[in-house]
Amino acid sequence: MNQIKSSNLGYPRIGEKREWKKVLEHYWAGNLEKDAFLKQMEEIRLQHLKKQKEQGIDIIPIGDFSFYDHVLDTAVMFGLVPERFENNSNGPVSLETYFDMARGNKGAVACEMTKWFNTNYHYIVPELHHVEPKLVENRPLQFFKEAKQKLNIDGKPVILGPITFVKLSKGYKKSDFNNVVKKFVPLYAQILKQLQTEGVQWVQIDEPILATNVSLDELELFQEVYHQLHEAAPNVKVILQTYFDRIDYFKEVCSLPVQGIGLDFVHDGGHHLAALNQFGFPQDKVLAAGVINGRNIWRGNLDEKLATITELSTFVSRDRLIVQPSSSLLHVPVTVKSEETLDEVIKNALSFADEKINEVVILTRALNNGIESVQNQITESTSAIQSLNKSSFRNNIEVQDAVNNIHLYDVDRRAELSVRQELQANAFDLPLLPTTTIGSFPQTKEVRNKRLKWRKGELTDVEYEDYIKAEIKKWIDIQEELGLDVFVHGEFERTDMVEYFGEKLLGFQFTKFGWVQSYGSRCVKPPLIYGDVDLKELMTVKETVYAQSLTSKPVKGMLTGPITILNWSFVRDDIPRYEVANQIALALRKEVDSLEKNGIQMIQVDEPAIREGLPLKRENWENYLNAAVYAFKLATTSVQDETQIHTHMCYSDFKNIIDTIDALDADVISIETSRSHGELIQAFEETTYNKGIGLGVYDIHSPRVPRVEELLRNIDRALQVLDPKLFWINPDCGLKTRGIEETVAALKVMVEAAEHTREKLLVNKR
Ligand code: GLN
Ligand code: ZN
């Protein structure tokens, strides 16, 4: 019985048609009783397990399902409820408190939410202050029993490991890290012991932290912790699961006292195979090999994957080999089957969660029963990939010529910064501390309704365009009245800053049901970049030129940058990512040129997602950041010296990428600041930033209208480290989620604060 086994690490929660989201939101809206909610959720959960079983997965994950987020589930399992939620239960945390922590309630703000490693999934940050962890319920055990009783499945409980869990939490001193982790060890031991008593075979303990830069101290902690867990429950087979990148200290991690090691063989840059060649693999352990990409939506090359596993089987005997995706399938949509309108060539080359599970099963069968047993499926898969590769979509000669001759483009501005600054100062005649906004104005229900009607054909193109024009005009008048210095057209024609551009670019496709969970019930539908990218049509010129025709103030052209488009899409995997970025950049360069030719003299290229795309490993940062800077410059540097290039960033902590921000060579940048004011300012203390810069002076995430004193304080603080001659005054980010009234009121306050500061500066000068 030298059988290789198939497994999975986690299954998407949301359901084929987002059933999960709907149940959740009905419950929140009060339209579903708690019992009905629990019942419907159970059905979804069991349905997902059944699907995996029917497809032929041997070791099925359980406990990966959640009502909101698996990190929150873990926190709640340990009774970690922040004081403000007034939890007085000693037993399991109530469903109400669980959702209050996730979403906030009248008296208490929600727990913070942040990105799960380098994905677009957001988890709830556990708060460890003032609460002693205790095991208030054994979740994995409950789910194990459920799967066993209802479906006769011997599931593999998935548990977030103690070291990663504490690493992702807040509310303790860094120097206390080891002690905090040790508080959790007995609780994990208790979970494992109970699982052991129940007869559980496999347990997957996720420690993705191992794929980041781990210190020697932490490595030692792993030794200690996993030793104790092993002592506590020697008969459960623990698979220490890592994903998203390679692990450092391969030999040491492989020798931890666990029964299996799960490794990502897709995002490791070939490191894991090399390490196996160098160090071999312990003869007493199972190797869970993540060979199917859990992060992308393309079919895998099964011949190559087979070769990889065959090579792995020279290090590990077959009965100790498990074939699986590289990570949980949480990060991909559910099934390609629902996509009825996609071009066949593209559709056939896709693989979402269900198809990936099938790929895992095919590979396992090929190894166990001989390749003949699945030859048809392998051939079909290979030819689907080939068809897409050979199609005109991926062979756009014009684009490929341009990319091959990319060295011919000058990616530096013609004149150096100081020369540009002088020319631009003359060209624009802006006051000190110019005021502007980030691009979007409120996307009201009306705006969205009109778009929907137009899409359904209930509004003609002309009617829709006229409506958009009227909105632009309305907001140009408002900006005029407010006395802002640099205007925007308001982005009323856009649903979303990536989708809008994707629809106007060749090589992009939108799915109907390709949703993935972003946080809680919120799902996003990233576009697919399947082919060579080029402009289908001009994207922004019409609206911008129209807006400019209505005013003598400069109107900023408004584009989304190449890296943000890339990071928020599913990207083809047949060519390097940076090459896709350069294709997008070349298309944007054409747009930038057209804007300029049509009289637009300020052009903003937003890159909010630069920072979040940073690789997990420090050693890969430089390559990534260089590629990002290159693509941005490729998109923006063709313009005249007088044309002012702006950029905008948000959602993150910019401290350690200030040099990159500088290297973009944008004449002006606006950065979201309010959520990390102090730190960002400190970063500017340490560098002299010599370009135009606007640190957001108020937070746009709440409808609250700020008081002028608050803004003055923010401006003053910034002016202590930044040159007033270079400082701009703007909100943190776009205003599309805000209401009209509050937006106008807040901007009025902002202009007032700018005027006030200008006067003060003039007085001081005298
Ligand atoms: N220009 C975009 C807007 O104003 C920027 C959005 C963003 O930074 N996320 O909406
Ligand atoms: Zn922003």
Side-chain angles (χ1 to χ4, degrees):
M1 263 260 310
N2 275 348
Q3 295 277 333
I4 294 178
K5 291 206 166 54
S6 59
S7 187
N8 184 21
L9 276 64
Y11 189 83
R13 297 155 189 158
I14 61 177
E16 285 182 23
K17 302 271 163 74
R18 287 184 296 159
E19 303 81 300
W20 177 86
K21 172 194 175 75
K22 285 165 202 158
V23 172
L24 204 50
E25 289 177 357
H26 272 150
Y27 177 66
W28 289 340
N31 299 331
L32 204 57
E33 293 296 323
K34 187 163 154 188
D35 287 344
F37 167 77
L38 293 174
K39 187 82 205 124
Q40 292 184 20
M41 280 299 191
E42 181 189 301
E43 273 165 28
I44 295 176
R45 185 165 61 232
L46 294 177
Q47 159 72 18
H48 294 172
L49 297 181
K50 227 158 71 195
K51 245 185 174 179
Q52 295 175 74
K53 183 179 176 178
E54 281 164 8
Q55 290 209 62
I57 290 288
D58 299 316
I59 306 173
I60 298 172
I62 53 118
D64 53 324
F65 186 86
S66 177
F67 293 154
Y68 201 97
D69 161 46
H70 54 276
V71 182
L72 178 61
D73 294 342
T74 313
V76 157
M77 171 167 79
F78 294 129
L80 298 171
V81 181
E83 263 175 348
R84 63 186 182 280
F85 296 102
E86 299 175 357
N87 175 44
N88 31 33
S89 144
N90 267 320
V93 172
S94 72
L95 194 58
E96 290 67 34
T97 305
Y98 175 87
F99 285 133
D100 281 352
M101 285 170 69
R103 312 173 65 221
N105 63 23
K106 276 197 214 87
V109 292
C111 295
E112 193 188 316
M113 160 175 98
T114 195
K115 275 165 66 74
W116 174 248
F117 297 89
N118 57 357
T119 72
N120 284 329
Y121 175 83
H122 300 72
Y123 70 90
I124 299 285
V125 182
E127 298 175 26
L128 306 185
H129 352 234
H130 312 305
V131 269
E132 274 306 304
K134 54 180 186 291
L135 189 67
V136 299
E137 59 179 330
N138 189 337
R139 268 179 53 92
L141 181 66
Q142 290 162 13
F143 287 119
F144 180 83
K145 286 183 177 167
E146 178 189 67
K148 181 80 192 165
Q149 280 161 14
K150 302 250 157 86
L151 300 170
N152 197 25
I153 288 175
D154 274 303
K156 170 186 67 171
V158 176
I159 309 174
L160 182 56
I163 301 180
T164 298
F165 178 76
V166 175
K167 234 329 159 9
L168 300 182
S169 302
K170 62 177 194 181
Y172 62 89
K173 282 211 292 295
K174 276 218 172 89
S175 54
D176 274 348
F177 181 68
N178 286 13
N179 291 331
V180 177
V181 170
K182 282 175 196 162
K183 279 196 207 168
F184 284 88
V185 175
L187 310 182
Y188 277 87
Q190 212 175 325
I191 296 174
L192 292 176
K193 256 190 239 168
Q194 290 174 5
L195 292 177
Q196 176 173 284
T197 310
E198 190 65 28
V200 171
Q201 269 216 51
W202 302 93
V203 174
Q204 170 187 324
I205 302 192
D206 285 357
E207 290 282 12
I209 208 76
L210 282 168
T212 64
N213 293 95
V214 172
S215 69
L216 279 171
D217 278 354
E218 286 163 347
L219 192 64
E220 223 168 274
L221 185 64
F222 267 96
Q223 269 292 347
E224 216 178 313
V225 167
Y226 280 86
H227 182 74
Q228 286 177 27
L229 295 182
H230 178 63
E231 298 270 277
N235 298 331
V236 279
K237 296 192 241 175
V238 168
I239 299 177
L240 183 70
Q241 184 63 54
T242 68
Y243 36 82
F244 299 154
D245 210 318
R246 69 189 181 85
I247 54 168
D248 296 330
Y249 307 116
F250 183 86
K251 208 169 75 187
E252 291 78 359
V253 170
C254 287
S255 66
L256 287 170
V258 290
Q259 287 68 41
I261 305 286
L263 299 174
D264 184 331
F265 283 91
V266 177
H267 304 96
D268 64 330
H271 172 86
H272 290 146
L273 259 179
L276 279 170
N277 272 299
Q278 190 179 351
F279 303 111
F281 193 75
Q283 291 307 305
D284 57 345
K285 285 194 176 62
V286 160
L287 175 62
V291 290
I292 293 294
N293 192 340
R295 298 285 299 276
N296 211 335
I297 42 76
W298 306 105
R299 280 194 199 245
N301 181 327
L302 297 183
D303 289 319
E304 273 173 24
K305 308 280 174 196
L306 265 181
T308 304
I309 306 167
T310 308
E311 190 175 349
L312 294 181
S313 68
T314 62
F315 301 102
V316 192
S317 65
R318 297 163 62 97
D319 55 325
R320 290 188 293 111
L321 200 51
I322 295 176
V323 177
Q324 59 186 21
S326 65
S327 65
S328 165
L329 299 175
L330 185 63
H331 311 291
V332 294
V334 179
T335 174
V336 181
K337 271 204 298 286
S338 321
E339 300 299 331
E340 281 156 9
T341 51
L342 279 185
D343 185 295
E344 284 292 307
V345 174
I346 300 168
K347 181 176 170 180
N348 286 338
L350 291 174
S351 173
F352 296 174
D354 285 349
E355 292 76 22
K356 283 178 189 294
I357 286 176
N358 192 35
E359 291 182 291
V360 166
V361 171
I362 292 174
L363 290 174
T364 313
R365 293 212 173 120
L367 292 152
N368 286 335
N369 310 340
I371 192 161
E372 322 76 61
S373 64
V374 283
Q375 191 59 61
N376 285 348
Q377 282 133 298
I378 294 184
T379 311
E380 185 202 322
S381 173
T382 312
S383 74
I385 298 171
Q386 274 172 1
S387 298
L388 179 56
N389 283 345
K390 282 194 288 199
S391 71
S392 57
F393 300 141
R394 288 189 173 177
N395 294 282
N396 184 325
I397 303 298
E398 215 175 297
V399 174
Q400 295 188 357
D401 270 355
V403 172
N404 291 337
N405 290 312
I406 211 147
H407 53 278
L408 300 179
Y409 291 88
D410 192 351
V411 295
D412 288 321
R413 294 289 294 268
R414 293 163 209 198
E416 65 176 63
L417 179 71
S418 57
V419 175
R420 280 162 19 217
Q421 280 173 332
E422 207 180 309
L423 290 169
Q424 290 168 18
N426 292 333
F428 295 119
D429 190 30
L430 294 171
L432 197 60
L433 308 175
T435 52
T436 189
T437 61
I438 307 302
S440 58
F441 283 127
Q443 282 258 336
T444 55
K445 242 198 195 111
E446 189 188 84
V447 174
R448 280 176 281 135
N449 273 338
K450 293 278 181 192
R451 181 157 48 243
L452 204 66
K453 282 199 169 153
W454 168 64
R455 290 217 159 141
K456 284 195 198 147
E458 291 166 25
L459 276 189
T460 64
D461 290 356
V462 175
E463 283 167 331
Y464 178 63
E465 263 171 42
D466 283 347
Y467 172 74
I468 297 290
K469 273 174 139 177
E471 281 297 293
I472 294 175
K473 165 113 181 50
K474 178 167 115 196
W475 278 90
I476 291 288
D477 292 346
I478 294 175
Q479 294 174 84
E480 211 76 75
E481 193 144 314
L482 283 166
L484 290 162
D485 302 306
V486 171
F487 290 8
V488 295
H489 78 282
E491 304 182 20
F492 304 104
E493 73 288 2
R494 307 183 187 178
T495 39
D496 157 304
M497 63 186 296
V498 172
E499 186 175 324
Y500 180 76
F501 291 93
E503 283 175 347
K504 295 189 181 306
L505 288 166
L506 285 175
F508 281 71
Q509 179 69 252
F510 293 85
T511 60
K512 263 221 156 83
F513 299 102
W515 299 96
V516 290
Q517 188 186 359
S518 171
Y519 63 88
S521 70
R522 185 168 160 87
C523 300
V524 294
K525 202 164 53 138
L528 319 179
I529 306 181
Y530 65 89
D532 290 335
V533 178
D534 201 1
L535 282 191
K536 243 191 302 205
E537 54 187 309
L538 287 175
M539 305 187 283
T540 63
V541 174
K542 198 169 51 190
E543 290 81 7
T544 321
V545 166
Y546 174 69
Q548 185 65 84
S549 76
L550 302 172
T551 176
S552 58
K553 296 280 177 67
V555 174
K556 284 189 282 188
M558 197 56 64
L559 305 172
T560 303
I563 299 301
T564 298
I565 293 181
L566 192 76
N567 284 346
W568 289 351
S569 303
F570 283 124
V571 184
R572 60 191 284 194
D573 60 356
D574 61 316
I575 59 174
R577 274 176 85 84
Y578 71 84
E579 210 172 300
V580 180
N582 289 343
Q583 290 189 1
I584 302 170
L586 285 171
L588 288 170
R589 188 176 174 104
K590 292 183 189 169
E591 183 76 14
V592 166
D593 283 342
S594 298
L595 282 168
E596 186 182 54
K597 239 181 249 126
N598 283 283
I600 303 302
Q601 291 173 291
M602 286 187 186
I603 300 168
Q604 178 174 316
V605 178
D606 294 327
E607 283 288 27
I610 276 204
R611 163 68 219 234
E612 68 181 55
L614 269 187
L616 291 179
K617 301 269 192 206
R618 275 255 172 194
E619 59 264 33
N620 299 328
W621 283 19
E622 196 180 321
N623 276 343
Y624 166 79
L625 290 172
N626 287 343
V629 168
Y630 183 84
F632 183 88
K633 289 174 74 177
L634 189 58
T636 54
T637 50
S638 60
V639 294
Q640 305 291 324
D641 299 335
E642 290 81 358
T643 299
Q644 192 168 68
I645 296 292
H646 290 230
T647 188
H648 165 71
M649 291 186 194
C650 54
Y651 302 133
S652 40
D653 162 7
F654 298 99
K655 280 197 308 288
N656 38 31
I657 63 160
I658 299 260
D659 291 344
T660 300
I661 290 177
D662 195 38
L664 296 177
D665 203 22
D667 299 300
V668 182
I669 184 170
S670 58
I671 309 189
E672 175 198 321
T673 324
S674 60
R675 286 189 286 187
S676 58
H677 214 96
E679 286 172 44
L680 190 61
I681 301 228
Q682 197 187 351
F684 283 108
E685 250 164 29
E686 287 151 22
T687 10
T688 27
Y689 195 76
N690 59 359
K691 307 186 173 78
I693 180 164
L695 301 181
V697 297
Y698 77 88
D699 180 9
I700 55 89
H701 294 92
S702 120
R704 189 175 153 269
V705 177
R707 284 175 304 125
V708 70
E709 296 75 29
E710 297 166 36
L711 267 53
L712 288 173
R713 218 177 310 126
N714 287 342
I715 297 170
D716 279 349
R717 248 177 35 213
L719 289 182
Q720 282 166 24
V721 294
L722 292 165
D723 181 351
K725 286 206 274 318
L726 297 172
F727 198 71
W728 286 64
I729 294 194
N730 48 257
D732 256 351
C733 191
L735 297 159
K736 73 167 176 234
T737 57
R738 295 274 60 87
I740 297 179
E741 233 168 274
E742 74 221 28
T743 297
V744 173
L747 290 175
K748 206 180 232 162
V749 176
M750 187 183 89
V751 172
E752 199 182 315
E755 278 163 0
H756 191 95
T757 313
R758 277 176 205 144
E759 271 164 37
K760 213 169 65 187
L761 288 171
L762 287 177
V763 171
N764 286 349
K765 231 176 164 179
R766 264 184 234 141

